[in-house]
Amino acid sequence: MTEPLRLSKRMSELGLCSRREADEWIARGWVRVDGQVVSELGSKVLPHQKVTVERQAAAQQAKRVTVLLHKPMGYVSGQAEDGYRPAVVLVTPENRWDEDKAPLQFHGSQLKSLVPAGRLDIDSTGLLVLTQDGRIAKQLIGEDTSIEKEYLVRVQYQRGPRLPDAELKRLNHGLSLDGKKLLPAKVSWQNEDQLRFVLREGKKRQIRRMCELVGLKVLGLKRVRIGRVKLGNLPPGKWRYLGSEEGF
């Protein structure tokens, strides 16, 4: 017999929303199971049961924004720490990119629950996604995400004149961190002192630690793409909205 699941978990699995959003919608009476309103948190459903949401939930979700920021060095991705400011403080009307084509007006309510979907180290730059939409957060940082992230990494080899080809192969597949084998990566030379990394996972300081294992020192790290969304010409410290026609 199939085991019942928490309704919020099932809604997340179906891609309707995040678990936190699901609990909020359930509490408001916006969720139906087989046509019946379910408003008790912790309720369970069977996988074959039909889950639907009221129009108010879809309308609320449509108002949620996703922001693409070119994070400069010196800002942390999430909560303020060690005296450093979080990247979200850069999301102001003054810092909006002049070339942003999105027809949205900036409003202070867009900063509420605007959280990073993934991280960039304090000393890394490039594309950082901040979103109010739990579906996008799950897509980018969920356990089973397959979204590629691309980085340009300026390096210096510490053990000789040039990184041996065998070590480049290990960067592509053959390294472990924290006792676990890393997923295959795509690592290639962009020019004589810069590597291009394409990863499908994001362990803490992963690229820097991978480089250390093969004798490379990272001098600069910039994320230039997440899935199909590119950093493009977005200047450092500026942001724009994710367009309605764009997807990761």
Side-chain angles (χ1 to χ4, degrees), residues 116-128:
R119 54 179 287 128
L120 261 182
D121 298 330
I122 190 163
D123 39 8
S124 300
T125 66
L127 183 58
L128 182 68

Side-chain angles (χ1 to χ4, degrees), residues 14-237:
L14 291 168
L16 296 171
C17 57
S18 68
R19 287 200 205 184
R20 191 172 63 183
E21 276 178 314
D23 283 336
E24 183 188 324
W25 293 357
I26 292 164
R28 291 188 177 195
W30 289 353
V31 180
R32 292 176 183 264
V33 176
D34 291 340
Q36 300 295 311
V37 172
V38 175
S39 55
E40 189 178 328
L41 291 176
S43 296
K44 296 196 170 184
V45 292
L46 291 165
H48 68 266
Q49 292 186 280
K50 187 176 181 186
V51 180
T52 54
V53 296
E54 301 292 319
R55 279 203 304 269
Q56 300 98 303
Q60 187 191 68
Q61 205 168 43
K63 290 179 189 168
R64 296 179 193 267
V65 299
T66 296
V67 162
L68 308 174
L69 171 71
H70 186 159
K71 186 188 92 64
M73 286 177 68
Y75 289 84
V76 291
S77 299
Q79 300 290 324
E81 56 185 75
D82 301 330
Y84 292 105
R85 297 164 75 196
V88 72
V89 303
L90 294 168
V91 183
T92 64
E94 300 76 31
N95 284 343
R96 186 176 179 182
W97 190 29
D98 293 340
E99 295 181 33
D100 187 2
K101 304 282 196 302
L104 292 165
Q105 289 285 331
F106 178 79
H107 191 274
S109 64
Q110 294 166 355
L111 296 172
K112 187 184 175 194
S113 304
L114 189 68
V115 295
R119 54 179 287 128
L120 261 182
D121 298 330
I122 190 163
D123 39 8
S124 300
T125 66
L127 183 58
L128 182 68
V129 177
L130 300 153
T131 187
Q132 293 179 315
D133 192 332
R135 294 169 303 175
I136 285 179
K138 182 171 187 283
Q139 188 183 24
L140 296 188
I141 56 177
E143 288 175 15
D144 53 353
T145 183
S146 60
I147 302 276
E148 288 187 342
K149 298 174 181 74
E150 181 179 340
Y151 304 80
L152 295 179
V153 187
R154 206 154 51 82
V155 293
Q156 186 177 57
Y157 188 48
Q158 308 280 282
R159 300 175 188 164
R162 185 166 173 82
L163 180 75
D165 289 345
E167 296 292 68
L168 182 64
K169 280 184 180 166
R170 285 181 69 215
L171 282 173
N172 278 272
H173 194 211
L175 296 178
S176 299
L177 289 177
D178 306 322
K180 282 189 74 176
K181 271 197 157 325
L182 294 174
L183 294 176
K186 296 176 195 163
V187 186
S188 57
W189 287 105
Q190 187 79 0
N191 53 48
E192 62 181 28
D193 69 345
Q194 194 172 58
L195 285 166
R196 174 179 170 270
F197 276 74
V198 179
L199 305 180
R200 284 186 293 116
E201 60 190 333
K203 294 183 184 295
K204 192 169 182 181
R205 297 181 77 80
Q206 177 171 336
I207 290 176
R208 293 175 191 277
R209 293 165 71 198
M210 287 172 74
C211 286
E212 274 174 25
L213 289 172
V214 298
L216 288 170
K217 181 182 179 183
V218 172
L219 305 176
L221 191 156
K222 181 180 186 180
R223 183 158 62 204
V224 295
R225 177 174 66 85
I226 299 176
R228 292 198 298 266
V229 175
K230 295 180 180 178
L231 179 66
N233 297 322
L234 185 63

